Amino acid sequence: MTTQQTTRRTDRYTGSNWRQRLDIRTITMVVVLLLLWVVFTAFTSDFFQNMRGSFLAARNLSNLTRAMAIVGIMGCGMVLVIVTGGIDLSVGTMAGFVGCSAAALQVWCGFGAPATIACCVAIGIIAGLIQGTIIAYVGIAAFIVTLGGQLIFRGGILFITKGMTIAPMQNDFKAIGNAYFSNTWGWIFAIAAIAILLLGELRKRAARRRYNTLDESAGLMIARWGVYSAVILIATVVLNNYRGLPFAVFLMLVLMIVFSLIAERTTFGRKIYAIGGNVAAARYSGIDVKRSLAIVYALNGLLAGVAGIVLTARLNAGPTAAANMNLELDAIAAAVIGGTSMTGGVGKVAGAILGAMIMATIDNGMSMMNLMPAWQFFVKGVILVAAVWFDLQTQKKKRAA
């Protein structure tokens, strides 16, 4: 065995090459998020003199997580779309259209919550599938198709509501956006999540050892698991200090896990990344690119439908102003800030949650500071451009290597 091979093997098991495995972009975004929290807390607490009504107050953080849930849900679907090299400019108005449809079904047609939810999810899937089919099989650019879809859904909102507010919603439907789990259930979910994380780390480590690709020490694995566990426990304590875990946040996290598994652990997920990495190579390898793209947009429509349901439940009315809320731009920004590359082929669903948290933090913190909305758009724009620039620099370094 040569000296170089011995060194490489030693590095693999001692973890001395840990710097190469760090996701610098994710760490940078986490640092940005923490800095935003420190700044907003300082300015809303008289520089840490009065924490009761500050940014870090339990009530405000609970409201912050509820606000981010809608964008986070849409961001999970947007990650899959952007990974394929596409874009969807219609998800915000699609969510509004689905929400107004839900309000009409409940208030005017007397539908119960289960029937309303089923219809709205079906609307989202069908709308996404239609757009995906046009993009994949007709060959029209995603930008144009989804921009046209945005205009169509805006017209649909006006057609359904005729400019009127449709309210109120039934109590069991409102619970989707406004209910909370008890503290006991919050701790059960937290312990279960920590146990699942540990099990996942152990299984991943066992698989890498089996295939002789283990490249980190047990201590590094335990440290990573410990950090994630600490975040879960702290979040549980904070949320339980107010009213508990919001149902909308729980739904967002469940969808994040499901779609993460789809993207990272299934054959379909590998096809998505292959298409985004090199569509020609994916086609030559036998992947049905057109079918896969249609399914991706259908899944994105499903999540837009779920987001519309949560938005309507939270507002207790049809979201007639959804066309002016720029939700689709927030979803795209959440995905990109969370590490999804606009060039396709790179991105994780969980990253969209981090991006959504940053976007919601900016809105919430600046509102508490009574700053003009113009500053919110300005800061969001700067962070988005910085994230894309970071991605471009990373890609250049990889190509140079």
Side-chain angles (χ1 to χ4, degrees), residues 57-72:
R59 176 175 181 176
N60 185 64
L61 291 180
S62 179
N63 291 333
L64 173 65
T65 58
R66 288 177 59 207
M68 67 168 282
I70 297 167
V71 173

Side-chain angles (χ1 to χ4, degrees), residues 115-376:
T116 301
I117 293 171
C119 289
C120 290
V121 169
I123 291 172
I125 293 174
I126 293 171
L129 182 61
I130 291 173
Q131 293 189 125
T133 300
I134 295 173
I135 293 167
Y137 289 93
V138 179
I140 302 176
F143 180 90
I144 298 300
V145 174
T146 58
L147 179 59
Q150 180 188 100
L151 299 176
I152 291 171
F153 291 128
R154 285 188 179 185
I157 292 174
L158 294 176
F159 180 80
I160 292 174
T161 65
K162 297 179 175 59
M164 300 183 298
T165 300
I166 307 176
M169 310 302 292
Q170 298 172 10
N171 289 333
D172 50 353
F173 187 89
K174 286 192 299 182
I176 298 173
N178 298 288
Y180 294 81
F181 286 102
S182 66
N183 289 4
T184 300
W185 277 109
W187 283 115
I188 291 174
F189 291 144
I191 294 172
I194 292 172
I196 291 172
L197 280 174
L198 179 59
L199 179 61
E201 291 285 356
L202 293 175
R203 291 183 61 182
K204 187 187 302 183
R205 186 174 181 82
R208 289 178 176 176
R209 182 181 291 111
R210 188 183 310 120
Y211 294 106
N212 198 30
T213 58
L214 185 61
D215 60 353
E216 69 175 10
S217 65
L220 184 59
M221 181 203 74
I222 294 173
R224 182 173 59 248
W225 173 73
V227 171
Y228 291 153
S229 300
V231 171
I232 292 173
L233 292 174
I234 292 172
T236 302
V237 170
V238 171
L239 293 176
N240 282 349
N241 279 339
Y242 180 52
R243 297 177 62 182
L245 175 66
F247 179 81
V249 176
F250 173 77
L251 178 61
M252 176 193 69
L253 295 176
V254 169
L255 290 172
M256 179 202 72
I257 294 171
V258 170
F259 277 78
S260 293
L261 292 175
I262 292 174
E264 300 174 20
R265 301 294 180 88
T266 67
T267 301
F268 175 71
R270 289 190 287 272
K271 291 178 180 179
I272 294 174
Y273 286 95
I275 292 170
N278 190 322
V279 65
R283 189 176 290 111
Y284 290 140
S285 66
I287 296 175
D288 190 340
V289 174
K290 294 180 180 179
R291 181 172 179 270
S292 298
L293 286 176
I295 294 175
V296 165
Y297 281 90
L299 292 174
N300 189 48
L302 183 154
L303 290 178
V306 174
I309 292 171
V310 175
L311 178 60
T312 302
R314 185 182 177 192
L315 297 176
N316 192 26
T320 55
N324 301 317
M325 294 173 66
N326 296 318
L327 291 174
E328 59 281 338
L329 300 183
D330 284 346
I332 294 171
V336 174
I337 291 171
T340 304
S341 174
M342 292 299 295
T343 59
V346 177
K348 289 189 175 183
V349 173
I353 305 303
L354 174 61
M357 175 64 79
I358 291 176
M359 301 292 284
T361 294
I362 294 171
D363 287 337
N364 181 280
M366 290 192 170
S367 296
M368 292 188 69
M369 291 172 60
N370 294 320
L371 294 177
M372 294 187 300
W375 284 105
Q376 298 178 22

Side-chain angles (χ1 to χ4, degrees), residues 41-121:
T41 302
F43 282 99
T44 57
S45 64
D46 294 331
F47 290 91
F48 309 104
Q49 298 299 314
N50 180 17
M51 301 295 292
R52 183 179 298 274
S54 71
F55 177 85
L56 286 182
R59 176 175 181 176
N60 185 64
L61 291 180
S62 179
N63 291 333
L64 173 65
T65 58
R66 288 177 59 207
M68 67 168 282
I70 297 167
V71 173
I73 291 171
M74 290 191 296
C76 291
M78 190 63 69
V79 168
L80 301 184
V81 171
I82 297 177
V83 161
T84 64
I87 197 72
D88 191 343
L89 300 177
S90 68
V91 289
T93 50
M94 186 190 300
F97 175 76
V98 170
C100 290
S101 300
L105 290 173
Q106 287 235 307
V107 177
W108 294 343
C109 301
F111 278 37
T116 301
I117 293 171
C119 289
C120 290
V121 169

